[in-house]
Amino acid sequence: MHLSIRQILFSLVIFSFLLRAFLAYWLELGNDEVYYWTYALFPDWSHYDHPPMLGWVMQLFSLNLLFDSEFALRLSSLVFFAINTGLIFMAGKIIRDEKTGLYAALLYNASIYATVITGIFILPDTPQNLFWLIALVIMLKLVSDGVTQQQQNRLMLLFGLVTGLGMISKYTSVFLWVGLLGYILLYRKAWLKRVSLYVALLISAFCGLPVIIWNVQHDFASFAYQGSRVNIFESGLRPDYFATELIGQIFYNNPINWVLILLAVIAVVRQKQFLPASYQRLLLLVGLPSILLFLLFALFRPTLPHWTGPAYNTLILLAAARIRQTTRPVPSFRIPPAIMSSLAFLIFILLLGSLQIKTGLIPIREDNPYHRLGKNDLTLDMYGWRALGKQFEAVRNKHLEAGTMQSADAIVAANWFPLANLDYYVARPLGMKVLGLGRPERLHKYVWITEARGGLKAGDDYWFLTDSRDYTHPGQVYAGAFDSIVATDTITITRSGKPAKRVFLFLLRDFKGSPDLTPKGMK
């Protein structure tokens, strides 16, 4: 019995959801994910690092943190990815037919960025990709033949709203407007006379008003932070940064997908038409600008390859359409080998990555086996925090019984990582406070969290935990801030029966209230 295209799509959505749901439940939160939990814990109109949408989405799906397990915090990623699979299928159907839509959905599910970063993990990319794909479907309908001017005006206004919501998910959603305006300027100049275009721009701007107000109230802290990440005037030419970015883009989007996308783009540039010209032009104008721009930035400073993820999701449609064009008809429907290979690569990475995180399947060479144990194994960022919480409770109880620490004593650290990890996995189950003691550019949102929790008080004692993945002795950062710093216990985190990393505990006695260290907040 041969399955129809719709049956294959439905099976894909169900299988993907179950697989991702298991991993969302099984794996501990990553450094970024656990930090974004604070967006829901302390909601605001914006945040130091990103706009507010992610926090609102996490509040909604966790019922305002009534359920705050890793699975509950990641639930929106599971649901949105399933919706996104349907959206990219719809986009493929618009530009050509259902088979193209299915190819696009399969390639989308084969993307490591789409399936893992936005489909399992909880990051600003989660809501951004939902709004990005909705906006993309709207744009494709907007440039389709047979759409009346009245329908175009309605679609334009809806595009303004959806893109505005995308922009308060992640600033890079502005590239949706870059793509559409570029298309209008090049191919539909008559649209510049339409009032709906300018109303749509105002709607997007209005969506961003809370972010602007927050930044005005806080000395443009978020804009300054994001601007510093793409400042190309700080250093000379750095080919190593460029290579890292390019390799990262290739891996994140699946090397097979990347090659298929590249071949499709080359075919369009060579004027090989496998789609109506309006669709090809629009997809290129939406997809290419951010990819090229961030590759340019990478020539001068470090960048992150997932910033271009939505652009690659856009270009997946070109790859799907080209495969549809070049695949020979067969009596029964078969998934092309290139797409099957791409899906196989994703499954391999999911299996290898999850086993490495949970078991340390591949041994990683260590430079310093004691204070730097696990330093070179990035997968340990998502392992051992649950165990640390349980073991710290036993150590804390020992000190409480001995009277060397009090139940009200909080944990302090100088960086948003590991503050958020300690907050979620260690302090939250014990009803403890976690406070930031350091410079605002390192604390990020913990500047305001610390103030909301009452701040640090002179004369109080505090806990300090540092692990061997990023070992820092508190005397290095808190010299003179405390009357004494006492090294106390060491907790060893094991994986597959072997030591994987160590967490070193210090008691910080009698806080002196140093004005150079205590976070005062940013106005």
Side-chain angles (χ1 to χ4, degrees):
M1 182 181 71
H2 298 293
L3 297 176
S4 69
I5 288 176
R6 294 295 181 100
Q7 288 172 326
I8 294 174
L9 178 68
F10 180 75
S11 300
L12 173 67
V13 170
I14 296 301
F15 174 78
S16 171
F17 185 90
L18 293 176
L19 175 61
R20 291 179 295 105
F22 169 73
L23 293 174
Y25 166 80
W26 194 43
L27 299 175
E28 298 176 24
L29 296 172
N31 296 340
D32 290 331
E33 291 182 280
V34 76
Y35 173 71
Y36 295 135
W37 160 70
T38 67
Y39 286 18
L41 190 64
F42 291 89
D44 207 338
W45 289 113
S46 192
H47 306 281
Y48 182 84
D49 322 74
H50 290 288
M53 181 63 73
L54 177 62
W56 298 343
V57 166
M58 293 174 76
Q59 284 183 277
L60 175 64
F61 278 82
S62 67
L63 301 182
N64 199 24
L65 298 181
L66 177 63
F67 304 99
D68 60 356
S69 66
E70 293 100 334
F71 181 85
L73 295 179
R74 289 167 167 162
L75 182 58
S76 59
S77 296
L78 305 177
V79 173
F80 287 177
F81 184 87
I83 296 172
N84 290 348
T85 300
L87 287 169
I88 203 163
F89 170 82
M90 186 185 304
K93 182 181 176 182
I94 290 171
I95 62 176
R96 182 154 182 164
D97 56 18
E98 284 195 345
K99 190 174 286 187
T100 304
L102 180 60
Y103 290 168
L106 290 166
L107 290 173
Y108 181 75
N109 276 258
S111 165
I112 297 169
Y113 167 78
T115 295
V116 179
I117 294 178
T118 74
I120 298 174
F121 300 158
I122 182 67
L123 301 171
D125 303 67
T126 295
Q128 181 197 30
N129 274 268
L130 174 67
F131 295 121
W132 184 285
L133 289 174
I134 294 173
L136 187 60
V137 169
I138 293 170
M139 281 192 286
L140 292 171
K141 289 183 176 180
L142 190 62
V143 302
S144 297
D145 294 334
V147 180
T148 66
Q149 182 172 333
Q150 186 178 22
Q151 290 172 326
Q152 286 175 342
N153 289 337
R154 291 173 181 170
L155 288 168
M156 189 73 75
L157 297 178
L158 184 58
F159 173 81
L161 174 62
V162 172
T163 302
L165 296 175
M167 289 164 62
I168 61 170
S169 300
K170 197 167 183 179
Y171 296 128
T172 50
S173 295
V174 73
F175 283 102
L176 289 166
W177 268 116
V178 171
L180 181 59
L181 291 175
Y183 181 84
I184 291 172
L185 289 171
L186 291 172
Y187 306 110
R188 299 287 180 95
K189 288 188 175 66
W191 288 7
L192 293 172
K193 298 178 181 179
R194 295 192 182 180
V195 174
S196 60
L197 172 63
Y198 302 99
V199 175
L201 281 165
L202 288 174
I203 291 172
S204 289
F206 181 78
C207 289
L209 193 59
V211 176
I212 295 172
I213 292 173
W214 186 92
N215 273 276
V216 169
Q217 293 174 339
H218 297 85
D219 295 331
F220 295 94
S222 182
F223 293 160
Y225 168 69
Q226 294 295 348
S228 68
R229 303 178 83 185
V230 292
N231 184 351
I232 64 174
F233 302 106
E234 291 184 349
S235 64
L237 199 64
R238 293 295 301 267
D240 54 329
Y241 291 161
F242 179 85
T244 299
E245 171 67 18
L246 180 59
I247 293 170
Q249 288 185 17
I250 294 171
F251 177 76
Y252 273 38
N253 295 283
N254 189 322
I256 299 172
N257 276 13
W258 190 88
V259 170
L260 294 173
I261 290 169
L262 179 63
L263 292 174
V265 171
I266 291 173
V268 174
V269 172
R270 290 180 174 178
Q271 299 182 338
K272 292 183 179 180
Q273 190 168 334
F274 43 85
L275 286 176
S278 58
Y279 295 143
Q280 290 189 169
R281 291 166 177 170
L282 181 64
L283 291 173
L284 287 178
L285 287 168
V286 173
L288 287 182
S290 64
I291 293 173
L292 297 176
L293 183 63
F294 287 121
L295 284 173
L296 173 64
F297 288 157
L299 285 169
F300 302 96
R301 61 168 298 113
T303 52
L304 296 175
H306 72 277
W307 292 349
T308 57
Y312 277 101
N313 290 342
T314 302
L315 298 179
I316 277 175
L317 289 164
L318 281 180
R322 180 180 174 274
I323 294 172
R324 176 72 176 90
Q325 174 74 17
T326 57
T327 300
R328 290 183 299 176
V330 292
S332 60
F333 176 76
R334 294 177 185 173
I335 299 173
I339 296 179
M340 290 296 294
S341 299
S342 188
L343 290 167
F345 181 81
L346 172 83
I347 296 298
F348 171 75
I349 292 299
L350 283 178
L351 181 63
L352 180 65
S354 57
L355 287 178
Q356 178 64 24
I357 291 170
K358 300 296 286 188
T359 69
L361 181 68
I362 302 172
I364 306 296
R365 185 180 63 85
E366 299 294 343
D367 298 324
N368 184 329
Y370 195 80
H371 283 87
R372 299 295 182 182
L373 179 65
K375 179 178 175 58
N376 299 325
D377 189 348
L378 296 177
T379 63
L380 285 171
D381 285 343
M382 296 182 64
Y383 181 84
W385 297 104
R386 294 170 182 165
L388 173 62
K390 295 177 181 178
Q391 294 187 54
F392 176 79
E393 181 179 12
V395 172
R396 178 174 179 259
N397 288 339
K398 179 186 69 175
H399 283 274
L400 294 181
E401 292 172 3
T404 53
M405 293 294 283
Q406 305 300 314
S407 60
D409 292 339
I411 298 172
V412 299
N415 200 39
W416 65 269
F417 166 74
L419 273 166
N421 304 70
L422 297 174
D423 207 345
Y424 181 83
Y425 283 105
V426 178
R428 178 182 60 95
L430 299 175
M432 297 178 65
K433 290 181 180 180
V434 167
L435 305 174
L437 180 59
R439 300 189 180 281
E441 61 269 23
R442 300 295 301 277
L443 294 175
H444 292 200
K445 187 174 175 62
Y446 271 92
V447 169
W448 295 277
I449 293 175
T450 299
E451 291 179 346
R453 288 174 169 169
L456 286 84
K457 295 179 174 58
D460 281 357
D461 298 337
Y462 296 93
W463 294 90
F464 182 90
L465 285 72
T466 180
D467 73 31
S468 53
R469 285 272 300 120
D470 187 28
Y471 178 78
T472 303
H473 192 284
Q476 295 175 282
V477 289
Y478 295 148
F482 294 89
D483 181 64
S484 63
I485 295 175
V486 181
T488 175
D489 302 81
T490 298
I491 294 174
T492 300
I493 304 297
T494 62
R495 185 170 63 177
S496 297
K498 300 177 181 179
K501 61 180 178 180
R502 296 183 178 90
V503 181
F504 304 93
L505 280 60
F506 295 83
L507 308 182
L508 311 183
R509 300 292 192 189
D510 189 9
F511 179 55
K512 300 299 183 183
S514 168
D516 295 328
L517 287 176
T518 306
K520 301 296 184 182
M522 296 180 236
K523 295 182 180 179

